[in-house]
């Protein structure tokens, strides 16, 4: 069985590895169909991920088809599935609270344990959601979109809120799309004029602010000087995350979607006078996956515009390394592995 291994930062190779054996009770052997390449994967390639030990087979944005089931599994062979890549313990305090997305012993595929840049994988049946009539390529986008959908749900921002999404990459666009689904008035902020233009032309986010001189004035102009009711920072950049505090309205919410190795600093007086709330948003829950899949089926998410690049398992080592630095026109790249 072929797999793409990141042996150490900057080193990708196509390797042979044993195919998984018969699944144990409650587990399922899957034929991987499509895998999205995430910002996390680029960070792993570049040596910037805070939770990773090399070598590692990456890949956690997965669609697949059931090949074989262990005892007690009701999924039929041949069922197309969306994969939830967060393996939780089921017993820790987070799991007992219904928050397996932040399990204290979490194992995220492709990060803490080997992922799906490979032909087959075996997973617990509870992490598999039938894709139904959703195409397998579209099904591979559900996980990354669920990250933004989860952040929007976590923010509890009501319909009519003014929302700022900082970072127009895939996660930021996902947050923007589901902020709009929630009835928010969405502005996108990014360093790249190209990304802002793409967000406007392809996704209809015509309110955009470019990071740099004049950004503070633009925020004031869009919000009448009040700031945004909810700000989603999806940059994974400490400097941006710190500056995001200043864009939040009094009584507003800042949701930090990205994660960095750095410590964050902010002005306590500015934080307190706003009585603002700061939340971390990590991974997603089944409800988020189902919300995203439903939104795609309803035509609320233009998957055809999100997927801009495609490659094969054999070409992934070359293409991922190239896309890590050459991102012109890139939103989401997908590895086509099987059908």
């Amino acid at each position: 069985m072929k797999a793409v291994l990141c042996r150490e930062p900057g080193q990708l190779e196509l390797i042979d590895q044993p195919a998984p054996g018969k699944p144990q009770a409650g587990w399922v052997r899957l034929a991987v169909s499509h895998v999205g390449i995430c910002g996390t994967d680029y960070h792993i390639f570049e040596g910037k991920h805070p939770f990773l030990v090399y070598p590692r087979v990456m890949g956690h944005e997965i669609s697949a088809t059931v090949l074989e089931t262990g005892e007690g599994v009701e999924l039929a062979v041949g069922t197309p599935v969306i994969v939830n890549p967060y393996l939780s313990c089921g017993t820790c305090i987070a799991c007992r609270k219904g928050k397996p997305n932040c399990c204290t012993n979490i194992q995220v595929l492709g990060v803490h344990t080997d992922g799906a840049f490979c032909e087959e994988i075996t997973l617990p049946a509870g992490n598999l959601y039938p894709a139904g009539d959703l195409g397998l390529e579209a099904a591979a986008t559900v996980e990354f979109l669920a990250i933004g959908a989860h952040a929007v749900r976590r923010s509890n921002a009501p319909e009519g809120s003014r929302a700022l999404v900082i970072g127009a990459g895939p996660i930021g666009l996902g947050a923007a799309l589901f902020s709009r689904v929630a009835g928010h008035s969405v502005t996108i902020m990014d360093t790249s004029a190209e990304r802002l233009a793409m967000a406007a032309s392809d996704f209809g986010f015509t309110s955009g602010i470019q990071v740099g001189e004049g950004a503070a004035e633009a925020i004031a102009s869009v919000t009448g000087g009040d700031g945004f009711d909810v700000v989603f920072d999806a940059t994974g950049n400490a400097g941006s995350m710190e500056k995001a505090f200043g864009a939040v309205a009094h009584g507003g919410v800042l949701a930090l979607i990205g994660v960095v190795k750095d410590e964050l600093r902010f002005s306590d007086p500015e934080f307190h006078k706003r009585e603002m709330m700061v939340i971390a948003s990590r991974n997603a829950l089944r409800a988020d996956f189902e919300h995203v899949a439903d939104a795609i089926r309803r035509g609320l998410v233009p998957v055809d515009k999100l997927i801009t690049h495609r490659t094969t398992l054999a070409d992934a080592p070359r293409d991922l390394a190239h896309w890590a630095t050459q991102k012109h026109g890139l939103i989401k790249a997908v590895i086509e592995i099987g059908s």
Side-chain angles (χ1 to χ4, degrees), residues 270-289:
E270 289 297 320
F271 172 68
H272 264 82
K273 78 178 186 182
R274 287 171 167 78
E275 199 184 47
M276 62 183 284
M277 182 167 64
V278 180
I279 61 170
S281 184
R282 187 180 186 193
N283 301 326
L285 294 168
R286 178 166 188 154
D288 304 305
F289 281 76

Side-chain angles (χ1 to χ4, degrees), residues 164-168 187-200 205-222 228 235 240 243:
L164 176 66
V165 177
I166 306 174
T187 296
I188 294 184
M189 187 173 184
D190 198 272
T191 58
S192 168
E194 178 191 16
R195 282 190 178 274
L196 290 173
M198 186 183 297
F205 295 110
T206 55
S207 179
I209 298 172
Q210 188 167 3
V211 175
E213 187 177 350
E217 290 78 7
I219 290 172
S221 176
V222 170
F228 288 92
T235 63
S240 173
K243 289 179 181 178

Side-chain angles (χ1 to χ4, degrees), residues 115-133:
F117 283 5
C118 59
E119 294 173 307
E120 294 184 13
I121 193 168
T122 302
L123 293 172
N127 285 74
L128 310 176
Y129 312 143
D133 59 356

Side-chain angles (χ1 to χ4, degrees), residues 221-244:
S221 176
V222 170
T223 65
D226 290 333
F228 288 92
D229 302 304
V230 58
V231 176
F232 302 99
D233 191 289
T235 63
N237 177 278
S240 173
M241 294 159 81
E242 291 176 348
K243 289 179 181 178

